[in-house]
Amino acid sequence: MKTFKVGLIGAGFMAKAHSVAYAGMPMFFWPAPALIKKKLIADLTVERADEAALQFGFERGTADWRDIINDPDIDIVDICTPNDSHAEIAIAAAGAGKHIICEKPISRTLEEAKAMYEAVSKANVVNMLAFNYRMTPAVQLAKKYIDEGAIGDILDFRGTYLQDWSADPNSPLSWRFQKAVCGSGAFGDIGTHVVDMLRFLIGDFTEVNARFATYIKERPMQTGTVDNLGSVKGGTDVPKAPVDVDDQCLLVLKGANGSFGTIEATRNAWGRNNFITFEIHGTKGSLYFNYERRDELQVCFADDPGDRRGFRTVYTGPAHPYGENLWPIPALGIGYTETKIVEMYKFIDAVANGGRVSPDFEDGYRIEQLGDAAFRSAKSGSWETI
Ligand code: SOE
């Protein structure tokens, strides 16, 4: 069995998720396409990198991400840093012939996304963008139903990503609220997950009319490099700094298939934790998914007898996409980790056996094009072509 060596850059929340996925992948997908050796992990300080190496199971840590790029022994570069370093690292990794998995969104700007897409295309390396939610078996099942024509032609769609971890104005100003680091706010961080899921399910979009808002205009400055994801540190006497990105967005979209719908994302939805939903209506039925109940897909088929027609719940399990690799009984419970394990399996499979994996940097670039058109629309006040 082949073994690939990984270097992971950035030792926060996503490094934990990817490290669990490297470990879990062969347990669920056996025989595995390849085994993984976690070689080097990089963060801003050597102390944090060494600690992360211990915690996440890497051979050692480094404070210089270039050590990973320059190590001829490393096959895979895993980018789990904030958005402002994705382009620089990915382009260097592609130049060194490494395969790349990168956290979402692809970058801060359309220009960066284009340069990243061109670099991996030129280097012909496997590249993946970590939009994990589409790996949820219920989402894959929705795709299967759509492809089989079970709900007919798609008429309309609506997708949401609603969160409240930063709804408190006293939650800290991490990099996620600073345009120079993140590029955009709710749109880039969470809205792009929904764009990815809907593109996966029903195809591309052609036009957008969008509005963005920032309700919480300043937040207490965060000390330290670790993203505290909304935990209130230091009380209300900490100096504040401006938020220069959106915390809410609403996009009206036209689909290439003639469908019509909306995508909404907000960080101010008290009571909504990770409320990623879609509802899709077709000529022969409807589908509804809510990630907070991610074992379930709600389906309604128009052909059902009138006295039985209505939404029913399909609990995903071994009969459904990726289900046979995960747990042996429906509704035992799919979590964030399982979505990351499926994602990692698809990536490692492509590295081991060749071929393209989806979502990749091209998908990331297309999503960035959509975002660019959405921000243009907010300025012009009218529809913009994507
Ligand atoms: C914060 O909104 C966040 O951590 C996102 O960045 C992740 O992509 C999402 O899956 C969970 O929430």
Side-chain angles (χ1 to χ4, degrees):
M1 191 169 279
K2 292 179 195 167
T3 299
F4 296 117
K5 296 200 174 111
V6 175
L8 193 154
I9 306 172
F13 164 30
M14 282 304 141
K16 180 195 285 184
H18 288 216
S19 301
V20 173
Y22 288 121
M25 186 271 292
M27 299 176 202
F28 288 97
F29 291 89
W30 190 260
L35 296 176
I36 296 297
K37 221 174 168 52
K38 290 182 245 160
K39 190 168 180 199
L40 255 181
I41 185 162
D43 205 67
L44 292 178
T45 64
V46 79
E47 291 75 24
R48 175 62 199 139
D50 282 346
E51 184 191 8
L54 259 185
Q55 184 185 1
F56 301 144
F58 284 77
E59 280 174 19
R60 64 181 183 87
T62 171
D64 185 356
W65 60 266
R66 286 185 181 76
D67 289 348
I68 289 176
I69 308 292
N70 295 332
D71 185 338
D73 216 23
I74 285 183
D75 309 285
I76 291 169
V77 172
D78 188 336
I79 306 173
C80 289
T81 54
N83 310 348
D84 59 338
S85 52
H86 288 188
E88 189 184 8
I89 297 173
I91 292 166
K98 314 284 190 199
H99 304 293
I100 307 168
I101 181 164
C102 178
E103 262 308 321
K104 44 54 60 179
I106 186 165
S107 59
R108 293 173 297 182
T109 62
L110 188 56
E111 293 68 35
E112 283 181 343
K114 185 164 185 277
M116 289 168 74
Y117 170 43
E118 286 171 354
V120 292
S121 307
K122 188 166 159 227
N124 200 21
V125 292
V126 176
N127 54 99
M128 185 174 207
L129 210 60
F131 282 116
N132 57 304
Y133 294 111
R134 64 150 89 173
M135 307 303 169
T136 314
V139 178
Q140 295 281 330
L141 181 61
K143 169 75 171 159
K144 182 169 179 275
Y145 287 162
I146 291 170
D147 288 354
E148 288 171 0
I151 64 161
D153 295 332
I154 305 300
L155 300 173
D156 58 68
F157 55 87
R158 54 214 42 72
T160 70
Y161 198 152
L162 316 179
Q163 288 188 326
D164 70 357
W165 61 264
S166 59
D168 181 343
N170 283 318
S171 73
L173 184 102
S174 74
W175 63 267
R176 290 171 200 268
F177 303 93
Q178 301 171 41
K179 190 173 167 58
V181 189
C182 59
S184 72
F187 175 75
D189 194 20
I190 54 179
T192 53
H193 274 300
V194 188
V195 177
D196 177 67
M197 253 184 353
L198 285 171
R199 279 185 83 241
F200 168 63
L201 292 168
I202 62 177
D204 251 314
F205 302 105
T206 54
E207 283 179 71
V208 60
N209 199 328
R211 297 295 179 272
F212 297 83
T214 306
Y215 293 107
I216 301 176
K217 297 191 190 320
E218 54 173 23
R219 291 176 181 274
M221 284 158 70
Q222 185 189 297
T223 49
T225 57
V226 174
D227 180 1
N228 289 321
L229 269 172
S231 53
V232 184
K233 293 259 153 86
T236 47
D237 54 346
V238 174
K240 291 191 170 181
V243 172
D244 56 0
V245 291
D246 54 293
D247 52 28
Q248 179 170 14
C249 62
L250 173 63
L251 281 64
V252 185
L253 290 149
K254 290 183 190 168
N257 60 3
S259 63
F260 192 65
T262 58
I263 291 180
E264 210 187 325
T266 175
R267 290 169 158 168
N268 299 319
W270 282 118
R272 298 296 185 201
N273 298 290
N274 213 44
F275 197 78
I276 311 174
T277 69
F278 60 77
E279 181 160 312
I280 300 172
H281 303 148
T283 48
K284 289 166 61 180
S286 302
L287 298 169
Y288 172 76
F289 170 77
N290 171 5
Y291 181 81
E292 289 183 358
R293 302 190 65 87
R294 58 202 158 271
D295 292 315
E296 305 171 17
L297 183 67
Q298 303 278 331
V299 298
C300 172
F301 297 119
D303 286 346
D304 281 348
D307 64 349
R308 281 140 220 235
R309 195 179 303 131
F311 274 100
R312 70 177 87 137
T313 305
V314 179
Y315 289 93
T316 54
H320 303 119
Y322 300 118
E324 69 190 46
N325 296 93
L326 295 172
W327 301 108
I329 295 173
L332 276 185
I334 297 302
Y336 190 72
T337 306
E338 280 87 346
T339 67
K340 284 297 198 187
I341 287 171
V342 173
E343 173 176 273
M344 204 52 87
Y345 160 70
K346 288 177 60 118
F347 174 64
I348 300 300
D349 189 44
V351 173
N353 301 314
R356 205 177 147 182
V357 65
S358 183
D360 63 5
F361 282 20
E362 180 175 358
D363 294 297
Y365 175 46
R366 302 274 167 244
I367 292 172
E368 204 58 39
Q369 284 179 319
L370 186 150
D372 188 68
F375 282 102
R376 272 191 277 123
S377 160
K379 261 199 191 134
S380 68
S382 45
W383 286 93
E384 293 287 340
T385 303
I386 297 166

